[in-house]
């Protein structure tokens, strides 16, 4: 199971959590934006969030079928 990803800032945040439920792998995503209009001074932190979010979305999951023993 891939590691959880999260980014927290009072203005915006996200979290991505993988959970194994039976024979399924489920991804829970949450994104929050607490501001309606972004100011210039918010851009640096927003870009950090975007970079972390991009890393989380490009996480690869490889599923392998169990062989008979």
């Amino acid at each position: 199971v891939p590691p959880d990803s999260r980014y927290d800032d009072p203005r915006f945040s996200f979290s991505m959590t993988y959970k194994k439920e039976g024979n399924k792998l489920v991804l829970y995503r949450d994104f929050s934006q607490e501001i309606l209009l972004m100011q210039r001074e918010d851009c640096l932190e927003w870009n950090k969030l975007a970079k972390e979010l991009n890393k989380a979305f490009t996480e690869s999951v490889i599923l392998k079928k169990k062989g008979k023993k």
Side-chain angles (χ1 to χ4, degrees):
V1 178
D4 294 346
S5 299
R6 110 177 277 112
Y7 188 91
D8 289 306
D9 184 272
R11 298 160 289 187
F12 26 75
S13 63
F14 81 87
S15 67
M16 295 177 68
T17 305
Y18 290 88
K19 299 223 180 204
K20 187 175 178 196
E21 297 179 358
N23 65 345
K24 296 179 182 179
L25 183 62
V26 180
L27 170 61
Y28 293 94
R29 299 181 300 181
D30 183 54
F31 183 85
S32 175
Q33 185 172 343
E34 301 297 327
I35 56 176
L36 294 175
L37 181 62
M38 193 175 307
Q39 302 298 319
R40 183 180 298 252
E41 57 270 12
D42 298 327
C43 290
L44 181 62
E45 205 62 38
W46 176 262
N47 288 341
K48 289 180 187 177
L49 174 133
K51 185 176 180 180
E52 291 301 313
L53 189 58
N54 187 48
K55 277 198 276 186
F57 274 126
T58 56
E59 181 74 40
S60 295
V61 176
I62 299 172
L63 304 175
K64 294 182 180 180
K65 199 172 203 177
K66 289 185 178 180
K68 294 181 181 180
K69 293 184 180 182

